[in-house]
Amino acid sequence: MSQHETAAAARRPARQGWLQKRLTRAQTQKNIFLLVAIAPAFGGYLLFTLYPNLLSVYYSLLDWDGISPAKFVGLSNYTAMLQDKYVWRALLHNLLYMATVPFLVIFISLLLAYILTSKAYKGSSLFKLLFFFPNVLSTVVIALLWAFVYDGSIGILNALLRLVGIDVGNFYWLGDVRTAIWAVIPPYVWGGVGLYVIIFVNAMTTIPKSLYESAVLEGASHLTRLMRITIPLIMPIIRVGALFLVLGSLKGFEHVLILTNGGPAGSTDVIGLYMFNLAFGKDYHNYGYASAVGMFLFVILVAAKLLMDKAMPNKSVEY
């Protein structure tokens, strides 16, 4: 071995050691950066989401109004809940909303998004803005707007019906047991369509135009193109949207709270609102029983998620 090769061999371990130190230092810096970046969000999740949920499990075993000393009652709250007819009535209303609101939002959003992407409208950007406008408004504003729509004396719905020859007088749609539960559905749909129109439009614009051109040459109608090309290719996005809508219709209660507060005669009550009134009602405060109802709602949400995973498997179509 020459003198030069001997010197190079002697320097190689030192160079490898220096490189190893650099890699170790870079990995340490990366770990520190990830810790600093993730720690605030993870800490907020632990403090404001996980900890309150775990605490609710403990509260569900108590008889407690939030002020006086708590009394441990074990599973008594759950036993009482299973015999509570108002819980099952509220669950039935939730299931009705779950069966209607997601379907209507997805159907209308897909239709509008397909029209916007398949037709060369000059004002398509304006239509997107108009469709998205309800999502800029808060839930309170949307509910108050629809409360005016349904008003018996000055409501626009009764005025429109009179224009087409249907006079219902001063009928108040939110004040009748027969119509109140159905009148709550349109505000949910109107407030949710705009967001999914934008999502579906963006998803549809990624589909190659050549697929549609080939379908047109073969004589495929718009309905065939929508059902055989568009929907299968964006099904993963539809699946996620449907999941959010189903879970939202199960746990949401803001619209019902503002429009009817569960009335008339409990005909629009939902589990989230029932739980809210149990904990923060005017005449009744039982955090323990409300927490038990919350755990029941949690089980329903998990079951809905599992059923949706089974009914809509996460399969994507490639092109």
Side-chain angles (χ1 to χ4, degrees), residues 10-297:
R11 288 195 300 269
R12 191 175 298 120
R15 187 180 299 115
Q16 291 176 348
W18 174 82
L19 181 61
Q20 185 64 34
K21 288 181 181 179
R22 291 282 301 218
L23 291 175
T24 303
R25 185 181 304 172
Q27 185 64 37
T28 303
Q29 292 175 348
K30 178 182 177 181
N31 293 336
I32 293 174
F33 172 78
L34 292 175
L35 180 62
V36 172
I38 297 175
F42 186 67
Y45 170 77
L46 291 177
L47 182 61
F48 299 109
T49 301
L50 185 60
Y51 175 70
N53 288 334
L54 294 177
L55 204 59
S56 296
V57 178
Y58 171 68
Y59 285 159
S60 68
L61 305 176
L62 304 177
D63 181 9
W64 185 45
D65 60 3
I67 299 175
S68 59
K71 178 183 177 182
F72 184 80
V73 294
L75 299 178
S76 297
N77 287 327
Y78 292 96
T79 304
M81 180 190 64
L82 294 177
Q83 300 172 357
D84 189 347
K85 64 179 182 179
Y86 300 114
V87 170
W88 299 107
R89 181 185 66 182
L91 176 60
L92 182 63
H93 298 157
N94 274 111
L95 294 177
L96 174 63
Y97 295 143
M98 186 186 72
T100 54
V101 172
F103 172 77
L104 291 173
V105 171
I106 295 293
F107 175 77
I108 297 173
S109 300
L110 278 173
L111 186 61
L112 293 175
Y114 181 77
I115 293 174
L116 288 176
T117 53
S118 62
K119 302 291 185 180
Y121 291 112
K122 292 183 179 179
S124 59
S125 298
L126 177 61
F127 285 116
K128 293 177 186 177
L129 179 63
L130 292 176
F131 292 145
F132 188 74
F133 176 72
N135 291 94
V136 180
L137 305 176
S138 68
T139 303
V140 175
V141 173
I142 292 175
L144 291 176
L145 283 174
W146 280 89
F148 281 112
V149 170
Y150 291 132
D151 189 88
S153 57
I154 61 173
I156 190 174
L157 179 57
N158 287 349
L160 291 175
L161 291 175
R162 281 192 290 269
L163 286 178
V164 297
I166 303 175
D167 189 1
V168 295
N170 291 331
F171 182 74
Y172 188 60
W173 297 85
L174 296 174
D176 192 283
V177 175
R178 298 168 298 174
T179 58
I181 190 169
W182 302 106
V184 174
I185 294 176
Y188 274 109
V189 177
W190 186 74
V193 163
L195 174 63
Y196 289 95
V197 168
I198 302 301
I199 292 174
F200 293 154
V201 165
N202 292 332
M204 291 177 187
T205 53
T206 63
I207 300 175
K209 299 293 184 183
S210 58
L211 296 178
Y212 293 110
E213 293 170 356
S214 300
V216 171
L217 291 175
E218 294 180 3
S221 64
H222 280 288
L223 180 61
T224 302
R225 279 175 265 167
L226 177 63
M227 299 300 295
R228 297 298 181 88
I229 298 176
T230 305
I231 292 180
L233 290 176
I234 65 171
M235 182 54 71
I237 298 174
I238 296 175
R239 178 181 177 275
V240 173
L243 176 62
F244 284 145
L245 288 169
V246 166
L247 298 182
S249 63
L250 281 173
K251 68 179 182 178
F253 66 93
E254 297 87 351
H255 286 91
V256 178
L257 173 64
I258 299 168
L259 287 170
T260 64
N261 195 25
S267 60
T268 60
D269 200 10
V270 291
I271 288 187
L273 180 59
Y274 184 58
M275 177 179 62
F276 176 82
N277 287 328
L278 284 173
F280 308 106
K282 293 182 180 179
D283 304 319
Y284 189 78
H285 300 277
N286 193 331
Y287 289 97
Y289 190 49
S291 298
V293 175
M295 291 300 103
F296 179 55
L297 179 59

